[in-house]
Amino acid sequence: PFDVVYVSPMQRTIETALIVFGRIKGLKIVLHPGCCETRTLLEGSNAGRRKEEIEKKVAQLKDLHDTQAEIDLSYLPTTTWWVPLAETTTQLTQRASLFRSFLLTQPHSKVAIVSHATFLSHLTGDTSRLTTCQWKSYLCTKRGFLSSNGPKGTPDAQHCLITTG
């Protein structure tokens, strides 16, 4: 079982997270803007939305999916959090590095991340592109992510299951 699930606060990843993890009583699902899509559309399931809109949508989805997990929106600012239109590769790489650093400061040892293929590729350094609802297992270290087949037991590591919504 996972200690926490970090989720891009876009509708399709929220829905994926609730379908996959929502019925696990006591699990904390955290909506985190640091793992959002690299390009935000103006409408649809990848549209950036204000916190109050997301709160309403989450309440609807929790009822729809009989969610037992705790949903944490505390990392969402009330102002614009989403990436405007597009970000450069350098900006995306920096954001992915910041998110990895954030993960390493958290007390959790088993983490799931529900995000988007382009962001996850930059986060992990894995150039094999994830497809919709595919998952991979990694070990998160200060130096980066290692495939689940890589070295184990690194003291600064966290296990992550990564899926794309």
Side-chain angles (χ1 to χ4, degrees), residues 1-159:
F2 294 99
D3 301 320
V4 68
V5 179
Y6 291 102
V7 182
S8 165
M10 298 200 170
Q11 183 174 329
R12 70 187 178 109
T13 47
I14 295 169
E15 287 183 31
T16 299
L18 293 182
I19 291 167
V20 175
F21 300 106
R23 291 195 175 162
I24 302 172
K25 190 172 184 167
L27 180 65
K28 190 171 191 177
I29 296 175
V30 179
L31 304 188
H32 198 293
C35 62
C36 75
E37 181 63 286
T38 181
R39 183 175 63 87
T40 305
L41 302 176
L42 298 178
E43 53 187 61
S45 63
N46 269 353
R49 297 198 184 347
R50 297 206 176 274
K51 185 174 184 175
E52 59 271 8
E53 293 177 65
I54 293 172
E55 288 171 332
K56 289 177 188 173
K57 190 63 175 178
V58 165
Q60 292 170 350
L61 292 170
K62 281 178 70 173
D63 288 342
L64 179 67
H65 297 294
D66 190 29
T67 300
Q68 305 291 315
E70 174 192 347
I71 312 297
D72 180 350
L73 287 82
S74 65
Y75 286 97
L76 289 178
T78 54
T79 58
T80 302
W81 54 264
W82 54 89
V83 178
L85 299 179
E87 64 187 331
T88 67
T89 301
T90 301
Q91 290 169 324
L92 175 57
T93 301
Q94 288 171 341
R95 183 163 58 89
S97 178
L98 285 172
F99 190 71
R100 182 176 62 248
S101 295
F102 163 79
L103 290 174
L104 289 168
T105 66
Q106 301 307 297
H108 314 292
S109 62
K110 293 202 176 185
V111 175
I113 301 168
V114 181
S115 188
H116 312 271
T118 302
F119 174 77
L120 292 172
S121 175
H122 280 78
L123 178 66
T124 63
D126 188 343
T127 57
S128 61
R129 190 157 175 88
L130 290 168
T131 58
T132 301
C133 294
Q134 179 185 359
W135 64 271
K136 288 188 177 183
S137 184
Y138 294 90
L139 194 62
C140 179
T141 73
K142 288 179 184 174
R143 293 171 302 285
F145 282 80
L146 303 173
S147 167
S148 62
N149 296 328
K152 303 277 188 224
T154 309
D156 62 345
Q158 292 181 313
H159 297 278

